[in-house]
Tab-separated table of all heavy atoms in Angstrom:
chain	number	residue	atom	x	y	z
N	1	MET	N	16.247	-15.857	39.698
N	1	MET	CA	17.389	-15.577	40.599
N	1	MET	C	18.474	-16.709	40.355
N	1	MET	O	18.236	-17.841	40.536
N	1	MET	CB	16.798	-15.741	42.041
N	1	MET	CG	16.557	-14.373	42.700
N	1	MET	SD	18.027	-13.434	43.109
N	1	MET	CE	18.512	-14.170	44.733
N	2	LYS	N	19.628	-16.196	40.083
N	2	LYS	CA	20.752	-17.087	39.965
N	2	LYS	C	21.413	-17.251	41.347
N	2	LYS	O	21.626	-16.292	42.043
N	2	LYS	CB	21.755	-16.537	38.920
N	2	LYS	CG	21.157	-16.281	37.551
N	2	LYS	CD	21.138	-17.647	36.813
N	2	LYS	CE	20.042	-17.488	35.767
N	2	LYS	NZ	20.136	-18.045	34.537
N	3	SER	N	21.840	-18.468	41.631
N	3	SER	CA	22.481	-18.782	42.820
N	3	SER	C	23.952	-18.549	42.618
N	3	SER	O	24.581	-18.988	41.590
N	3	SER	CB	22.177	-20.224	43.276
N	3	SER	OG	23.218	-20.637	44.115
N	4	LEU	N	24.592	-17.983	43.643
N	4	LEU	CA	26.052	-17.816	43.583
N	4	LEU	C	26.745	-19.156	43.601
N	4	LEU	O	27.775	-19.415	42.922
N	4	LEU	CB	26.531	-17.011	44.787
N	4	LEU	CG	27.930	-16.590	44.764
N	4	LEU	CD1	28.377	-15.795	43.600
N	4	LEU	CD2	28.321	-15.789	46.011
N	5	VAL	N	26.204	-20.165	44.407
N	5	VAL	CA	26.707	-21.444	44.458
N	5	VAL	C	26.777	-22.091	43.039
N	5	VAL	O	27.707	-22.768	42.715
N	5	VAL	CB	25.938	-22.323	45.427
N	5	VAL	CG1	26.582	-23.713	45.559
N	5	VAL	CG2	25.808	-21.654	46.829
N	6	CYS	N	25.688	-21.849	42.280
N	6	CYS	CA	25.583	-22.472	41.018
N	6	CYS	C	26.674	-21.897	40.068
N	6	CYS	O	27.259	-22.453	39.246
N	6	CYS	CB	24.259	-22.170	40.372
N	6	CYS	SG	22.959	-23.139	41.096
N	7	LYS	N	26.942	-20.544	40.290
N	7	LYS	CA	27.960	-19.949	39.414
N	7	LYS	C	29.349	-20.580	39.712
N	7	LYS	O	30.145	-20.675	38.793
N	7	LYS	CB	28.019	-18.452	39.734
N	7	LYS	CG	27.101	-17.568	38.985
N	7	LYS	CD	27.502	-16.152	38.950
N	7	LYS	CE	26.778	-15.467	37.781
N	7	LYS	NZ	27.000	-14.063	37.855
N	8	VAL	N	29.540	-20.870	40.882
N	8	VAL	CA	30.879	-21.476	41.318
N	8	VAL	C	30.917	-22.911	41.039
N	8	VAL	O	31.905	-23.412	40.409
N	8	VAL	CB	31.102	-21.180	42.835
N	8	VAL	CG1	32.482	-21.793	43.225
N	8	VAL	CG2	31.105	-19.674	43.054
N	9	LYS	N	29.862	-23.635	41.488
N	9	LYS	CA	29.990	-25.116	41.381
N	9	LYS	C	29.237	-25.714	40.205
N	9	LYS	O	29.298	-26.951	39.918
N	9	LYS	CB	29.401	-25.723	42.675
N	9	LYS	CG	30.242	-25.417	43.911
N	9	LYS	CD	29.658	-26.187	45.068
N	9	LYS	CE	30.653	-26.293	46.232
N	9	LYS	NZ	30.157	-27.088	47.334
N	10	GLY	N	28.470	-24.949	39.525
N	10	GLY	CA	27.622	-25.412	38.465
N	10	GLY	C	26.242	-25.742	38.980
N	10	GLY	O	26.075	-25.880	40.275
N	11	HIS	N	25.227	-25.903	38.261
N	11	HIS	CA	23.939	-26.241	38.678
N	11	HIS	C	23.735	-27.662	39.225
N	11	HIS	O	24.561	-28.529	38.875
N	11	HIS	CB	22.918	-26.099	37.460
N	11	HIS	CG	22.864	-24.660	37.028
N	11	HIS	ND1	22.252	-23.644	37.745
N	11	HIS	CD2	23.245	-24.154	35.794
N	11	HIS	CE1	22.361	-22.538	37.079
N	11	HIS	NE2	22.946	-22.687	35.879
N	12	ARG	N	22.774	-27.785	40.115
N	12	ARG	CA	22.571	-29.155	40.695
N	12	ARG	C	21.336	-29.800	39.913
N	12	ARG	O	20.248	-29.290	40.011
N	12	ARG	CB	22.302	-29.003	42.141
N	12	ARG	CG	22.048	-30.373	42.754
N	12	ARG	CD	22.359	-30.375	44.282
N	12	ARG	NE	21.353	-29.800	45.038
N	12	ARG	CZ	21.385	-29.436	46.313
N	12	ARG	NH1	22.449	-29.645	46.940
N	12	ARG	NH2	20.368	-28.928	46.915
N	13	VAL	N	21.709	-30.771	39.168
N	13	VAL	CA	20.599	-31.428	38.353
N	13	VAL	C	19.533	-32.142	39.216
N	13	VAL	O	19.882	-32.931	40.103
N	13	VAL	CB	21.288	-32.574	37.424
N	13	VAL	CG1	20.229	-33.286	36.732
N	13	VAL	CG2	22.282	-31.842	36.480
N	14	ASN	N	18.273	-31.726	39.013
N	14	ASN	CA	17.220	-32.380	39.670
N	14	ASN	C	16.760	-33.612	38.974
N	14	ASN	O	16.057	-33.543	38.056
N	14	ASN	CB	16.048	-31.380	39.799
N	14	ASN	CG	14.907	-31.922	40.607
N	14	ASN	OD1	14.810	-33.148	40.788
N	14	ASN	ND2	13.981	-31.063	40.990
N	15	ARG	N	17.201	-34.732	39.382
N	15	ARG	CA	17.045	-35.971	38.646
N	15	ARG	C	15.666	-36.528	38.805
N	15	ARG	O	15.242	-37.387	37.971
N	15	ARG	CB	18.090	-37.052	39.043
N	15	ARG	CG	19.555	-36.625	38.763
N	15	ARG	CD	20.523	-37.662	38.807
N	15	ARG	NE	21.873	-37.104	38.666
N	15	ARG	CZ	22.369	-36.904	37.448
N	15	ARG	NH1	21.737	-37.188	36.400
N	15	ARG	NH2	23.574	-36.321	37.359
N	16	ARG	N	14.925	-36.027	39.777
N	16	ARG	CA	13.507	-36.520	39.909
N	16	ARG	C	12.650	-35.868	38.949
N	16	ARG	O	11.461	-36.308	38.681
N	16	ARG	CB	13.055	-36.168	41.285
N	16	ARG	CG	13.656	-36.888	42.434
N	16	ARG	CD	13.062	-36.509	43.764
N	16	ARG	NE	13.087	-35.053	43.893
N	16	ARG	CZ	14.055	-34.339	44.484
N	16	ARG	NH1	15.160	-34.997	44.977
N	16	ARG	NH2	13.975	-33.051	44.531
N	17	ARG	N	13.051	-34.837	38.253
N	17	ARG	CA	12.234	-34.068	37.354
N	17	ARG	C	12.599	-34.191	35.867
N	17	ARG	O	12.046	-33.558	35.009
N	17	ARG	CB	12.325	-32.580	37.778
N	17	ARG	CG	11.001	-31.794	37.287
N	17	ARG	CD	11.185	-30.306	37.721
N	17	ARG	NE	9.959	-29.562	37.330
N	17	ARG	CZ	9.775	-29.034	36.142
N	17	ARG	NH1	10.667	-29.092	35.239
N	17	ARG	NH2	8.691	-28.418	35.870
N	18	VAL	N	13.573	-35.107	35.574
N	18	VAL	CA	14.018	-35.242	34.252
N	18	VAL	C	12.931	-35.768	33.349
N	18	VAL	O	12.144	-36.633	33.666
N	18	VAL	CB	15.233	-36.155	34.195
N	18	VAL	CG1	15.685	-36.376	32.771
N	18	VAL	CG2	16.393	-35.582	35.029
N	19	TRP	N	12.831	-35.083	32.129
N	19	TRP	CA	11.952	-35.657	31.116
N	19	TRP	C	12.627	-35.505	29.784
N	19	TRP	O	13.655	-34.770	29.644
N	19	TRP	CB	10.617	-34.970	31.088
N	19	TRP	CG	10.520	-33.706	30.336
N	19	TRP	CD1	9.941	-33.489	29.073
N	19	TRP	CD2	10.827	-32.343	30.737
N	19	TRP	NE1	9.989	-32.173	28.694
N	19	TRP	CE2	10.549	-31.435	29.654
N	19	TRP	CE3	11.520	-31.841	31.837
N	19	TRP	CZ2	10.872	-30.161	29.825
N	19	TRP	CZ3	11.791	-30.466	32.048
N	19	TRP	CH2	11.455	-29.630	30.895
N	20	HIS	N	12.092	-36.145	28.799
N	20	HIS	CA	12.661	-36.066	27.401
N	20	HIS	C	11.808	-35.305	26.528
N	20	HIS	O	10.553	-35.472	26.447
N	20	HIS	CB	12.841	-37.581	26.842
N	20	HIS	CG	13.839	-37.494	25.663
N	20	HIS	ND1	13.324	-37.395	24.411
N	20	HIS	CD2	15.205	-37.504	25.564
N	20	HIS	CE1	14.382	-37.497	23.570
N	20	HIS	NE2	15.487	-37.489	24.199
N	21	ASP	N	12.263	-34.269	25.929
N	21	ASP	CA	11.421	-33.394	25.074
N	21	ASP	C	11.386	-33.749	23.622
N	21	ASP	O	11.142	-32.902	22.776
N	21	ASP	CB	11.852	-31.909	25.360
N	21	ASP	CG	13.157	-31.639	24.704
N	21	ASP	OD1	13.795	-32.542	24.085
N	21	ASP	OD2	13.616	-30.424	24.826
N	22	LYS	N	11.718	-34.979	23.260
N	22	LYS	CA	11.808	-35.473	21.986
N	22	LYS	C	13.125	-35.240	21.348
N	22	LYS	O	13.468	-35.921	20.343
N	22	LYS	CB	10.747	-34.868	20.976
N	22	LYS	CG	9.352	-35.203	21.274
N	22	LYS	CD	8.400	-34.972	20.121
N	22	LYS	CE	8.213	-33.374	19.976
N	22	LYS	NZ	7.191	-33.058	19.029
N	23	PHE	N	13.953	-34.422	21.893
N	23	PHE	CA	15.303	-34.152	21.363
N	23	PHE	C	16.430	-34.386	22.401
N	23	PHE	O	17.468	-35.024	22.140
N	23	PHE	CB	15.401	-32.707	20.788
N	23	PHE	CG	14.476	-32.428	19.684
N	23	PHE	CD1	13.250	-31.908	19.915
N	23	PHE	CD2	14.848	-32.761	18.404
N	23	PHE	CE1	12.324	-31.721	18.835
N	23	PHE	CE2	13.945	-32.578	17.345
N	23	PHE	CZ	12.691	-31.967	17.559
N	24	ASP	N	16.131	-33.904	23.582
N	24	ASP	CA	17.180	-34.033	24.657
N	24	ASP	C	16.510	-34.187	25.975
N	24	ASP	O	15.294	-34.014	26.162
N	24	ASP	CB	17.991	-32.666	24.736
N	24	ASP	CG	18.767	-32.446	23.467
N	24	ASP	OD1	19.760	-33.099	23.225
N	24	ASP	OD2	18.395	-31.476	22.747
N	25	PHE	N	17.302	-34.606	26.993
N	25	PHE	CA	16.755	-34.688	28.310
N	25	PHE	C	16.874	-33.302	28.981
N	25	PHE	O	17.710	-32.549	28.689
N	25	PHE	CB	17.681	-35.674	29.133
N	25	PHE	CG	17.358	-37.141	28.785
N	25	PHE	CD1	18.126	-37.813	28.003
N	25	PHE	CD2	16.156	-37.704	29.267
N	25	PHE	CE1	17.888	-39.138	27.655
N	25	PHE	CE2	15.818	-38.989	28.903
N	25	PHE	CZ	16.700	-39.770	28.211
N	26	ARG	N	15.781	-33.021	29.771
N	26	ARG	CA	15.651	-31.690	30.387
N	26	ARG	C	15.351	-31.858	31.833
N	26	ARG	O	14.766	-32.815	32.274
N	26	ARG	CB	14.574	-30.921	29.717
N	26	ARG	CG	14.674	-30.787	28.192
N	26	ARG	CD	15.383	-29.579	27.846
N	26	ARG	NE	14.597	-28.397	28.437
N	26	ARG	CZ	13.450	-27.936	27.761
N	26	ARG	NH1	13.048	-28.398	26.706
N	26	ARG	NH2	12.811	-26.967	28.433
N	27	THR	N	15.690	-30.847	32.579
N	27	THR	CA	15.309	-30.748	34.046
N	27	THR	C	15.528	-29.333	34.458
N	27	THR	O	15.733	-28.426	33.705
N	27	THR	CB	16.019	-31.764	34.879
N	27	THR	OG1	15.387	-31.827	36.151
N	27	THR	CG2	17.499	-31.542	35.050
N	28	ASN	N	15.398	-29.185	35.788
N	28	ASN	CA	15.711	-27.869	36.380
N	28	ASN	C	16.769	-27.985	37.451
N	28	ASN	O	16.981	-29.046	37.955
N	28	ASN	CB	14.461	-27.346	37.066
N	28	ASN	CG	13.368	-26.907	36.081
N	28	ASN	OD1	12.731	-27.652	35.447
N	28	ASN	ND2	13.414	-25.559	35.764
N	29	CYS	N	17.408	-26.908	37.765
N	29	CYS	CA	18.373	-26.943	38.781
N	29	CYS	C	17.617	-26.942	40.211
N	29	CYS	O	16.665	-26.268	40.409
N	29	CYS	CB	19.268	-25.685	38.762
N	29	CYS	SG	20.386	-25.525	40.160
N	30	ASP	N	18.127	-27.878	41.053
N	30	ASP	CA	17.599	-28.042	42.387
N	30	ASP	C	17.656	-26.819	43.229
N	30	ASP	O	16.905	-26.612	44.154
N	30	ASP	CB	18.248	-29.264	43.001
N	30	ASP	CG	17.239	-30.165	43.616
N	30	ASP	OD1	16.000	-29.959	43.530
N	30	ASP	OD2	17.643	-31.157	44.362
N	31	ARG	N	18.621	-26.032	42.956
N	31	ARG	CA	19.027	-24.873	43.766
N	31	ARG	C	18.296	-23.606	43.213
N	31	ARG	O	17.621	-22.946	44.003
N	31	ARG	CB	20.478	-24.695	43.826
N	31	ARG	CG	21.043	-24.638	45.186
N	31	ARG	CD	22.614	-24.647	45.216
N	31	ARG	NE	23.348	-25.057	44.073
N	31	ARG	CZ	24.195	-26.071	44.095
N	31	ARG	NH1	24.412	-26.707	45.224
N	31	ARG	NH2	24.779	-26.447	43.052
N	32	CYS	N	18.550	-23.236	42.016
N	32	CYS	CA	18.075	-21.927	41.568
N	32	CYS	C	16.982	-22.059	40.523
N	32	CYS	O	16.443	-21.113	40.023
N	32	CYS	CB	19.298	-21.172	40.931
N	32	CYS	SG	19.837	-21.834	39.284
N	33	ASN	N	16.578	-23.348	40.171
N	33	ASN	CA	15.504	-23.647	39.341
N	33	ASN	C	15.728	-23.224	37.790
N	33	ASN	O	14.701	-23.122	37.117
N	33	ASN	CB	14.155	-22.951	39.791
N	33	ASN	CG	12.943	-23.796	39.416
N	33	ASN	OD1	12.979	-25.002	39.425
N	33	ASN	ND2	11.943	-23.016	39.160
N	34	ALA	N	16.947	-23.006	37.454
N	34	ALA	CA	17.288	-22.754	36.103
N	34	ALA	C	16.869	-23.921	35.224
N	34	ALA	O	17.003	-25.110	35.640
N	34	ALA	CB	18.675	-22.269	35.943
N	35	SER	N	16.445	-23.652	33.926
N	35	SER	CA	16.157	-24.747	33.039
N	35	SER	C	17.497	-25.361	32.591
N	35	SER	O	18.412	-24.573	32.087
N	35	SER	CB	15.352	-24.273	31.860
N	35	SER	OG	14.075	-23.841	32.201
N	36	LEU	N	17.610	-26.698	32.656
N	36	LEU	CA	18.821	-27.336	32.201
N	36	LEU	C	18.494	-28.277	31.054
N	36	LEU	O	17.431	-28.819	30.920
N	36	LEU	CB	19.447	-28.106	33.359
N	36	LEU	CG	19.669	-27.296	34.605
N	36	LEU	CD1	20.259	-28.218	35.677
N	36	LEU	CD2	20.650	-26.158	34.379
N	37	ILE	N	19.527	-28.572	30.215
N	37	ILE	CA	19.325	-29.349	29.041
N	37	ILE	C	20.610	-30.296	29.041
N	37	ILE	O	21.751	-29.799	29.408
N	37	ILE	CB	19.253	-28.604	27.781
N	37	ILE	CG1	19.031	-29.515	26.619
N	37	ILE	CG2	20.374	-27.625	27.504
N	37	ILE	CD1	18.566	-28.828	25.313
N	38	ARG	N	20.471	-31.570	28.670
N	38	ARG	CA	21.633	-32.427	28.545
N	38	ARG	C	22.164	-32.390	27.219
N	38	ARG	O	21.666	-32.972	26.268
N	38	ARG	CB	21.221	-33.828	29.012
N	38	ARG	CG	22.566	-34.516	29.472
N	38	ARG	CD	22.308	-35.882	30.058
N	38	ARG	NE	22.773	-36.864	29.142
N	38	ARG	CZ	22.857	-38.160	29.416
N	38	ARG	NH1	22.423	-38.561	30.569
N	38	ARG	NH2	23.268	-38.936	28.544
N	39	ASP	N	23.276	-31.634	27.091
N	39	ASP	CA	23.842	-31.488	25.780
N	39	ASP	C	24.700	-32.781	25.445
N	39	ASP	O	25.415	-33.347	26.338
N	39	ASP	CB	24.847	-30.238	25.826
N	39	ASP	CG	25.368	-29.829	24.535
N	39	ASP	OD1	26.272	-30.546	23.947
N	39	ASP	OD2	24.985	-28.834	24.047
N	40	GLU	N	24.640	-33.209	24.235
N	40	GLU	CA	25.349	-34.486	23.854
N	40	GLU	C	26.839	-34.327	24.094
N	40	GLU	O	27.492	-35.272	24.365
N	40	GLU	CB	25.089	-34.770	22.282
N	40	GLU	CG	23.719	-35.319	22.116
N	40	GLU	CD	23.445	-35.536	20.572
N	40	GLU	OE1	24.433	-35.429	19.822
N	40	GLU	OE2	22.366	-35.883	20.263
N	41	VAL	N	27.379	-33.096	23.847
N	41	VAL	CA	28.795	-32.850	24.004
N	41	VAL	C	29.171	-32.450	25.394
N	41	VAL	O	30.126	-32.993	26.011
N	41	VAL	CB	29.266	-31.865	22.929
N	41	VAL	CG1	30.739	-31.718	23.001
N	41	VAL	CG2	28.893	-32.371	21.510
N	42	GLU	N	28.487	-31.446	25.835
N	42	GLU	CA	28.877	-30.674	27.080
N	42	GLU	C	28.350	-31.349	28.323
N	42	GLU	O	28.720	-31.060	29.428
N	42	GLU	CB	28.485	-29.332	27.048
N	42	GLU	CG	29.081	-28.490	25.858
N	42	GLU	CD	28.370	-27.102	25.731
N	42	GLU	OE1	27.938	-26.522	26.685
N	42	GLU	OE2	28.216	-26.698	24.532
N	43	GLY	N	27.314	-32.236	28.117
N	43	GLY	CA	26.701	-32.658	29.381
N	43	GLY	C	25.615	-31.706	29.790
N	43	GLY	O	25.156	-30.813	29.032
N	44	TRP	N	25.251	-31.699	31.076
N	44	TRP	CA	24.194	-30.850	31.595
N	44	TRP	C	24.673	-29.359	31.511
N	44	TRP	O	25.775	-29.028	32.038
N	44	TRP	CB	23.739	-31.219	33.002
N	44	TRP	CG	22.904	-32.467	33.058
N	44	TRP	CD1	23.327	-33.667	33.485
N	44	TRP	CD2	21.558	-32.647	32.695
N	44	TRP	NE1	22.357	-34.597	33.431
N	44	TRP	CE2	21.192	-33.961	32.988
N	44	TRP	CE3	20.558	-31.758	32.297
N	44	TRP	CZ2	19.973	-34.459	32.680
N	44	TRP	CZ3	19.234	-32.227	32.061
N	44	TRP	CH2	18.959	-33.626	32.274
N	45	ARG	N	23.812	-28.559	30.975
N	45	ARG	CA	24.154	-27.058	31.030
N	45	ARG	C	22.847	-26.347	30.986
N	45	ARG	O	21.755	-26.931	30.805
N	45	ARG	CB	24.949	-26.797	29.700
N	45	ARG	CG	24.213	-26.984	28.367
N	45	ARG	CD	24.927	-26.393	27.247
N	45	ARG	NE	24.371	-26.840	25.982
N	45	ARG	CZ	23.192	-26.293	25.518
N	45	ARG	NH1	22.537	-25.434	26.108
N	45	ARG	NH2	22.838	-26.778	24.340
N	46	GLU	N	22.978	-25.021	31.132
N	46	GLU	CA	21.777	-24.237	31.246
N	46	GLU	C	21.075	-24.155	29.841
N	46	GLU	O	21.751	-24.042	28.818
N	46	GLU	CB	22.146	-22.784	31.741
N	46	GLU	CG	20.962	-22.102	32.469
N	46	GLU	CD	21.458	-20.807	33.172
N	46	GLU	OE1	22.631	-20.833	33.699
N	46	GLU	OE2	20.768	-19.913	33.180
N	47	PHE	N	19.755	-24.141	29.873
N	47	PHE	CA	18.967	-24.090	28.644
N	47	PHE	C	19.199	-22.679	27.966
N	47	PHE	O	19.149	-21.699	28.709
N	47	PHE	CB	17.563	-24.257	28.882
N	47	PHE	CG	16.657	-24.484	27.691
N	47	PHE	CD1	16.598	-25.726	27.086
N	47	PHE	CD2	15.937	-23.439	27.178
N	47	PHE	CE1	15.777	-25.933	25.985
N	47	PHE	CE2	15.206	-23.626	26.045
N	47	PHE	CZ	15.073	-24.863	25.471
N	48	ASP	N	19.501	-22.665	26.726
N	48	ASP	CA	19.805	-21.489	25.990
N	48	ASP	C	18.758	-21.183	25.016
N	48	ASP	O	18.694	-21.870	23.966
N	48	ASP	CB	21.189	-21.546	25.454
N	48	ASP	CG	21.600	-20.288	24.598
N	48	ASP	OD1	20.657	-19.413	24.383
N	48	ASP	OD2	22.808	-20.102	24.329
N	49	ASN	N	17.856	-20.218	25.209
N	49	ASN	CA	16.774	-19.979	24.292
N	49	ASN	C	17.148	-19.830	22.834
N	49	ASN	O	16.556	-20.336	21.906
N	49	ASN	CB	15.952	-18.760	24.695
N	49	ASN	CG	15.044	-19.067	25.863
N	49	ASN	OD1	14.904	-20.189	26.277
N	49	ASN	ND2	14.528	-18.015	26.515
N	50	ASP	N	18.234	-19.011	22.609
N	50	ASP	CA	18.685	-18.776	21.280
N	50	ASP	C	19.147	-19.956	20.565
N	50	ASP	O	19.014	-20.153	19.310
N	50	ASP	CB	19.874	-17.702	21.301
N	50	ASP	CG	19.349	-16.395	21.760
N	50	ASP	OD1	18.104	-16.114	21.656
N	50	ASP	OD2	20.120	-15.625	22.304
N	51	ARG	N	19.677	-20.871	21.347
N	51	ARG	CA	20.355	-22.052	20.715
N	51	ARG	C	19.463	-23.218	20.754
N	51	ARG	O	19.496	-24.078	19.868
N	51	ARG	CB	21.622	-22.326	21.620
N	51	ARG	CG	22.538	-23.239	21.025
N	51	ARG	CD	23.778	-23.199	21.995
N	51	ARG	NE	24.484	-24.468	22.021
N	51	ARG	CZ	25.482	-24.751	22.890
N	51	ARG	NH1	25.828	-23.866	23.724
N	51	ARG	NH2	26.001	-25.958	22.857
N	52	ASP	N	18.582	-23.362	21.799
N	52	ASP	CA	17.878	-24.625	22.044
N	52	ASP	C	16.392	-24.531	21.565
N	52	ASP	O	15.671	-25.550	21.560
N	52	ASP	CB	17.985	-24.970	23.442
N	52	ASP	CG	19.363	-25.217	23.874
N	52	ASP	OD1	20.103	-25.852	23.079
N	52	ASP	OD2	19.700	-24.867	25.002
N	53	LEU	N	15.852	-23.323	21.276
N	53	LEU	CA	14.470	-23.243	20.920
N	53	LEU	C	14.257	-23.267	19.452
N	53	LEU	O	13.213	-22.788	18.959
N	53	LEU	CB	13.911	-21.954	21.507
N	53	LEU	CG	13.346	-22.060	22.910
N	53	LEU	CD1	12.622	-20.723	23.380
N	53	LEU	CD2	12.323	-23.339	23.072
N	54	LEU	N	15.144	-23.794	18.702
N	54	LEU	CA	15.122	-23.808	17.269
N	54	LEU	C	14.199	-24.950	16.767
N	54	LEU	O	13.775	-25.028	15.642
N	54	LEU	CB	16.468	-24.026	16.578
N	54	LEU	CG	17.411	-22.888	16.986
N	54	LEU	CD1	18.837	-23.240	16.374
N	54	LEU	CD2	17.026	-21.531	16.410
N	55	VAL	N	13.907	-25.939	17.654
N	55	VAL	CA	13.061	-27.123	17.286
N	55	VAL	C	11.905	-27.118	18.159
N	55	VAL	O	11.851	-26.418	19.242
N	55	VAL	CB	13.964	-28.395	17.481
N	55	VAL	CG1	15.006	-28.528	16.420
N	55	VAL	CG2	14.524	-28.479	18.836
N	56	ASP	N	10.863	-27.901	17.731
N	56	ASP	CA	9.604	-27.872	18.464
N	56	ASP	C	9.667	-28.965	19.610
N	56	ASP	O	9.367	-29.988	19.558
N	56	ASP	CB	8.583	-28.409	17.450
N	56	ASP	CG	7.149	-28.342	18.114
N	56	ASP	OD1	7.033	-27.551	19.101
N	56	ASP	OD2	6.289	-29.025	17.650
N	57	ARG	N	10.117	-28.412	20.786
N	57	ARG	CA	10.252	-29.284	21.925
N	57	ARG	C	8.989	-29.490	22.627
N	57	ARG	O	8.182	-28.611	22.672
N	57	ARG	CB	11.349	-28.656	22.839
N	57	ARG	CG	12.757	-28.627	22.234
N	57	ARG	CD	13.746	-27.944	23.182
N	57	ARG	NE	15.112	-27.825	22.493
N	57	ARG	CZ	15.922	-28.855	22.431
N	57	ARG	NH1	15.650	-30.034	22.910
N	57	ARG	NH2	17.148	-28.677	21.838
N	58	MET	N	8.942	-30.620	23.358
N	58	MET	CA	7.813	-30.823	24.205
N	58	MET	C	8.071	-30.266	25.618
N	58	MET	O	9.041	-30.413	26.143
N	58	MET	CB	7.647	-32.336	24.325
N	58	MET	CG	6.361	-32.870	23.634
N	58	MET	SD	6.312	-34.681	23.469
N	58	MET	CE	6.792	-35.079	25.209
N	59	ALA	N	6.906	-29.629	26.102
N	59	ALA	CA	7.009	-29.107	27.504
N	59	ALA	C	7.064	-30.303	28.544
N	59	ALA	O	6.714	-31.394	28.151
N	59	ALA	CB	5.843	-28.227	27.729
N	60	HIS	N	7.331	-29.960	29.732
N	60	HIS	CA	7.391	-30.894	30.746
N	60	HIS	C	5.945	-31.564	30.779
N	60	HIS	O	4.955	-30.772	30.678
N	60	HIS	CB	7.725	-30.259	32.040
N	60	HIS	CG	7.976	-31.306	33.159
N	60	HIS	ND1	6.931	-31.902	33.840
N	60	HIS	CD2	9.089	-31.777	33.688
N	60	HIS	CE1	7.433	-32.704	34.756
N	60	HIS	NE2	8.763	-32.641	34.711
N	61	PRO	N	5.760	-32.825	30.947
N	61	PRO	CA	4.463	-33.522	30.953
N	61	PRO	C	3.559	-32.877	31.972
N	61	PRO	O	2.324	-32.835	31.736
N	61	PRO	CB	4.824	-34.947	31.330
N	61	PRO	CG	6.273	-35.163	31.103
N	61	PRO	CD	6.914	-33.810	31.048
N	62	LYS	N	3.997	-32.364	33.038
N	62	LYS	CA	3.219	-31.762	33.976
N	62	LYS	C	2.487	-30.478	33.475
N	62	LYS	O	1.437	-30.055	34.008
N	62	LYS	CB	3.938	-31.334	35.238
N	62	LYS	CG	4.161	-32.455	36.216
N	62	LYS	CD	4.737	-31.897	37.513
N	62	LYS	CE	4.923	-33.161	38.421
N	62	LYS	NZ	5.798	-32.829	39.553
N	63	HIS	N	3.038	-29.862	32.474
N	63	HIS	CA	2.472	-28.638	31.943
N	63	HIS	C	1.622	-28.954	30.645
N	63	HIS	O	1.058	-28.086	29.992
N	63	HIS	CB	3.576	-27.635	31.516
N	63	HIS	CG	4.396	-27.204	32.710
N	63	HIS	ND1	3.827	-26.654	33.766
N	63	HIS	CD2	5.769	-27.268	32.807
N	63	HIS	CE1	4.804	-26.364	34.650
N	63	HIS	NE2	5.946	-26.789	34.102
N	64	ALA	N	1.536	-30.213	30.285
N	64	ALA	CA	0.848	-30.590	29.041
N	64	ALA	C	-0.678	-30.526	29.302
N	64	ALA	O	-1.145	-30.520	30.358
N	64	ALA	CB	1.259	-31.983	28.665
P	101	LIG	ZN1	21.434	-23.546	39.636
């Protein structure tokens, strides 16, 4: 479920859940729970499977 607020204001980074997947920092949106990734250039943005799953990323430690 995408939040309308997120569409307008952008996602709300859940800083308590941030982890490093060996390549980038990751977390979820506090509001709509979308997967977020910290892009070196763009900053926090939504995780994009086509673009971001090309490398062997580590899952959140809680799922390990
Ligand atoms: Zn969101």
